[in-house]
Amino acid sequence: ICVPGLMAEFAVIKLDYAGLLCSSSSSCRTLAENNSSYVIEALGKKNCDESSLRFTLGRSTTKQEIDRALKIIKKCLAE
């Protein structure tokens, strides 16, 4: 998800502290300096490169887990 103006690396720490794990980088982004995600660029979201969070869902992810995650995300972003 992209939240314009969000400092994603800081948000990852806040969310981790609240019990929700995520990443601040795209899985298609390389570690090379100043190299942004080609997928985010292809979506026309160049400004989301530093303000995106990546969450992973699996087959066993329940609706209750998603609802809990959404509550945590909303709370952390509101602070």
Side-chain angles (χ1 to χ4, degrees):
I1 61 171
C2 176
V3 182
L6 177 72
M7 293 176 29
E9 290 183 16
F10 180 68
V12 168
I13 295 168
K14 284 177 65 175
L15 291 167
D16 181 39
Y17 185 75
L20 185 62
L21 300 177
C22 66
S23 174
S24 64
S25 66
S26 172
S27 61
C28 56
R29 182 178 183 177
T30 66
L31 296 177
E33 190 173 326
N34 296 325
N35 191 11
S36 61
S37 165
Y38 65 89
V39 172
I40 292 174
E41 285 184 14
L43 292 170
K45 303 290 185 182
K46 292 181 184 180
N47 60 335
C48 288
D49 199 40
E50 299 292 324
S51 59
S52 292
L53 298 172
R54 178 172 49 109
F55 298 90
T56 302
L57 305 175
R59 290 183 182 185
S60 63
T61 305
T62 65
K63 181 180 181 326
Q64 291 79 17
E65 290 170 325
I66 294 170
D67 290 342
R68 178 181 171 271
L70 290 171
K71 287 179 185 177
I72 292 171
I73 293 166
K74 287 177 185 179
K75 181 180 177 187
C76 286
L77 294 180
E79 294 176 344

